[in-house]
Amino acid sequence: MNDLKQNGDICRGRKPVIDLLAKSPSRCSKLIIADNVRPPFLDELLDLARSKNVTWQIAKPEALDKLSGGEKHQGVICRLTQSKIIELDDFIKTLEGLNNALIVVLDHIEDPQNLGAVIRSAEAGGASCVIYAKRRAAIPNDTVIKTSAGASLRLPLIPVANITRTIERLKAADFWIVGLDGKSESSIWAEKLPERCALVIGAEGEGLSRLVSENCDILKRIPIKQEGVSSLNASVAAAIGIFEWSRNFILS
């Protein structure tokens, strides 16, 4: 079982693994099933693995416990192939000529569950990609895969070294930079968001950093009716912003 210990990039849990095998089998280098998994779920896993030409292995539950670092795996884990690094400039070129495009930019989101929830909303709302910071921020991992319901394996995720410089690059590519800021006087409902929009979401608690805020073209707040509620969870705010853009350009 030594080969089970070599790769920390995994997808765990029944639904995420089934989704991965069904929709993105090329990302699964090996399916590992605990020997206490029984039909009909076992049959479903093996049928999918065979139909998608995915290698599979039966292992002791303790081996899966070690591979998952003690996190719940429900008796099934996929080891993932290495994801291809996407360069920002290369991806921007794929959006040239598009009148409507949404990019979600995360200003140092630190909670992997928030990151996963944002990615899930971004995919559902028609965003082209999610940009996140390489340092001092959550990065895609098995928790993100599980929380995003597998969206983090399908939607382009672009790591960048500097969010402020990334904003400058997006401006040069004709994107309007819209930051969500609870202190802004302008409501997100007041007018349509730009067609080519980079929606910037601030960190949990701190919100947008000063330099990022200063470099946004527009700052918008999400109105909150109840006194005493100062702000929304970062992933909730992101979802509202994403679908506000989407209802005008994708879903309408």
Side-chain angles (χ1 to χ4, degrees):
M1 296 301 171
N2 289 336
D3 64 321
L4 299 185
K5 304 175 185 177
Q6 296 172 357
N7 189 349
D9 294 326
I10 62 170
C11 175
R12 57 185 167 84
R14 294 192 173 196
K15 188 176 188 309
V17 167
I18 288 293
D19 286 346
L20 175 67
L21 291 172
K23 300 175 182 177
S24 307
S26 63
R27 291 299 315 277
C28 182
S29 65
K30 180 178 282 189
L31 171 66
I32 304 161
I33 307 168
D35 63 9
N36 58 0
V37 173
R38 296 289 180 264
F41 180 56
L42 176 61
D43 296 334
E44 184 179 8
L45 284 170
L46 295 180
D47 287 347
L48 268 173
R50 290 169 181 139
S51 67
K52 302 294 185 179
N53 295 317
V54 172
T55 302
W56 56 273
Q57 177 179 353
I58 303 296
K60 294 293 183 184
E62 294 79 10
L64 278 76
D65 293 341
K66 191 165 187 177
L67 183 59
S68 69
E71 297 290 340
K72 292 181 179 180
H73 51 71
Q74 298 179 301
V76 61
I77 286 175
C78 273
R79 287 179 53 181
L80 300 176
T81 59
Q82 186 173 6
S83 59
K84 182 180 179 182
I85 299 298
I86 302 174
E87 298 295 337
L88 178 63
D89 284 346
D90 292 338
F91 188 79
I92 287 177
K93 289 177 183 177
T94 69
L95 304 180
E96 290 178 358
L98 292 181
N99 293 326
N100 303 330
L102 175 67
I103 290 176
V104 178
V105 181
L106 304 182
D107 185 12
H108 296 91
I109 296 289
E110 296 181 348
D111 185 340
Q113 293 193 359
N114 270 340
L115 176 58
V118 171
I119 294 170
R120 184 173 186 175
S121 294
E123 183 187 49
S128 297
C129 70
V130 171
I131 293 173
Y132 65 96
K134 291 179 180 178
R135 301 180 183 86
R136 296 186 296 110
I139 60 173
N141 59 18
D142 60 321
T143 298
V144 173
I145 294 170
K146 191 175 181 67
T147 308
S148 72
S152 63
L153 298 173
R154 298 184 294 268
L155 187 70
L157 307 178
I158 304 177
V160 296
N162 187 288
I163 296 295
T164 302
R165 284 201 292 269
T166 297
I167 286 174
E168 293 172 354
R169 178 67 187 89
L170 292 172
K171 286 183 179 180
D174 296 325
F175 278 88
W176 284 80
I177 314 302
V178 179
L180 293 184
D181 185 347
K183 298 185 290 293
S184 172
E185 294 182 0
S186 178
S187 166
I188 196 170
W189 319 130
E191 56 190 0
K192 283 185 179 181
L193 295 176
E195 292 177 296
R196 286 175 66 87
C197 178
L199 184 69
V200 188
I201 314 299
E204 301 92 341
E206 298 178 6
L208 298 176
S209 60
R210 180 182 60 82
L211 278 176
V212 168
S213 177
E214 290 175 355
N215 279 276
C216 288
D217 297 309
I218 305 167
L219 294 175
K220 291 286 186 180
R221 65 178 172 83
I222 297 171
I224 297 175
K225 180 179 179 180
Q226 186 65 42
E227 292 184 8
V229 180
S230 59
S231 63
L232 297 172
N233 175 278
S235 64
V236 172
I240 291 172
I242 289 165
F243 281 94
E244 172 60 16
W245 178 88
S246 183
R247 76 181 183 92
N248 288 306
F249 303 114
I250 300 295
L251 300 177
S252 57

